[in-house]
Amino acid sequence: MTDRQTEIAEGQGAVPPQAAADVDHRLVAAGLSAGYDERRVLEELDLQVPEGSFTVIIGPNACGKSTLLRSLARLLRPESGEVLLDGSSIASVPAKALARTIGLLPQSPTAPDGISVADLVSRGRHPHQGLMRRWSRADEEAVLAALEATGMVELADRPVDELSGGQRQRAWIAMALAQQTPLLLLDEPTTYLDIAHQIEVLELCAALQRQGRTLVAVLHDLNQALRHATHVVAMREGRIVAQGAPEAVGTAELVEEVFGLASRVIEDPETGRPLVIPRAP
Ligand SMILES: Nc1ncnc2c1ncn2[C@@H]1O[C@H](COP(=O)(O)OP(=O)(O)O)[C@@H](O)[C@H]1O
Ligand SMILES: [Mg+2]
């Protein structure tokens, strides 16, 4: 990320860093079971998202990561148990208040046909508009800041469906940023991005976290999770196997338990964080 992008990320939103005395969990899943029709995916899952954290969820394909994120954003109703936002059941939060509090970038979002990048990003401002309050300067600034933070200014007038996969992904991230929610849930935000853009998105997440926001992301890359997260959640078969600091979760035992992969863990020479190296056959 360039200095300018960091500056924009750090200037995004007016979310004051929480006082140290505040209790630490904004978003909690308590005994959460959820799924689709006959198929139960999440099994009495307990999760605490620490306030002000960059929480990253890892786990094998189909273990329920997206289902969990959708439940946290109230896109999926629990079969039992509940999701708590600031201590109250999320089921009772009015829709607009929820949209101003939690932003979600789904795993495979679909844009309306022919919509431009700028129009897509502007949709992130809908929860901030009311009957009396139309498009404002604050909306304009939020959209521009989000386009700048994601390097999308030059592509603002292009139709979303004519972008490359990586550009499209960044347009969606910009939309989620324009929403300026204190909580941001991102489902595989680095998919389709080349390595440099992956790092840029992760650095952007880290900058937003430092600025006081709480982020929850699903990431495929275990080492990126261990490197960038402040809190790591490891899932398997609809349950949480471990959650904690990257140093606590990034062990060979856990990689074996969660992914069934033999590895060894060394210290990342750049960051001191755990670095997982798969064993040679
Ligand atoms: N809309 C859906 N309808 C029915 N089954 C689904 C739906 N979405 C996901 N599933 C199933 O739920 C399980 C968990 O999926 P998901 O939460 O997307 O996993 P992950 O994100 O960890 O890859 C998978 O077996 C998947 O096939
Ligand atoms: Mg998924």
Side-chain angles (χ1 to χ4, degrees):
M1 186 155 55
T2 63
D3 286 350
R4 176 68 187 134
Q5 281 168 336
T6 306
E7 192 182 293
I8 290 160
E10 301 198 330
Q12 275 250 346
V15 185
Q18 296 293 310
D22 269 10
V23 199
D24 24 12
H25 298 133
R26 275 216 87 161
L27 198 56
V28 169
L32 179 70
S33 298
Y36 311 89
D37 300 325
E38 299 303 290
R39 169 188 237 122
R40 178 174 274 203
V41 177
L42 305 179
E43 293 281 358
E44 297 186 6
L45 179 149
D46 292 305
L47 167 79
Q48 293 90 35
V49 176
E51 168 68 22
S53 66
F54 179 12
T55 293
V56 175
I57 302 171
I58 55 168
N61 290 334
C63 74
K65 303 179 296 295
S66 297
T67 304
L68 174 57
L69 227 57
R70 300 182 73 237
S71 303
L72 292 176
R74 209 176 68 182
L75 292 182
L76 200 63
R77 188 203 299 260
E79 286 165 23
S80 60
E82 62 182 348
V83 173
L84 301 168
L85 174 64
D86 296 327
S88 316
S89 173
I90 202 172
S92 61
V93 180
K96 211 153 198 179
L98 189 65
R100 282 195 295 258
T101 309
I102 300 182
L104 170 70
L105 173 70
Q107 187 167 357
S108 313
T110 44
D113 280 346
I115 193 171
S116 72
V117 170
D119 286 345
L120 180 74
V121 177
S122 300
R123 293 193 170 207
R125 300 302 298 166
H126 281 183
H128 296 271
Q129 279 146 19
L131 282 175
M132 305 304 289
R133 207 182 134 260
R134 293 289 170 202
W135 192 254
S136 70
R137 196 159 158 208
D139 295 324
E140 197 66 52
E141 284 170 2
V143 168
L144 185 61
L147 289 169
E148 286 180 335
T150 50
M152 292 298 289
V153 174
E154 261 95 84
L155 300 170
D157 296 325
R158 292 268 298 274
V160 173
D161 42 26
E162 290 176 15
L163 301 177
S164 75
Q167 291 167 334
R168 199 172 307 145
Q169 185 74 355
R170 277 152 57 210
W172 282 104
I173 294 170
M175 190 190 92
L177 287 181
Q179 209 172 323
Q180 293 190 326
T181 53
L183 273 154
L184 194 52
L185 312 182
L186 304 162
D187 199 347
E188 300 199 15
T190 53
T191 309
Y192 306 119
L193 301 181
D194 61 56
I195 181 79
H197 282 114
Q198 286 177 26
I199 303 293
E200 207 168 275
V201 165
L202 293 167
E203 291 293 332
L204 177 62
C205 291
L208 292 166
Q209 182 261 331
R210 284 196 297 275
Q211 188 242 323
R213 293 209 219 188
T214 302
L215 291 96
V216 184
V218 173
L219 291 183
H220 247 330
D221 188 308
L222 183 57
N223 284 324
Q224 286 182 349
L226 295 169
R227 183 169 184 161
H228 295 272
T230 62
H231 189 75
V232 180
V233 176
M235 279 184 78
R236 186 196 156 99
E237 292 174 359
R239 293 171 194 273
I240 291 188
V241 179
Q243 53 185 319
E247 291 76 10
V249 177
T251 65
E253 292 72 25
L254 235 113
V255 174
E256 176 74 53
E257 188 182 347
V258 172
F259 293 98
L261 177 77
S263 67
R264 67 195 179 108
V265 175
I266 62 168
E267 191 181 289
D268 182 335
E270 284 291 319
T271 61
R273 294 281 182 96
L275 184 65
V276 176
I277 316 278
R279 291 269 180 193

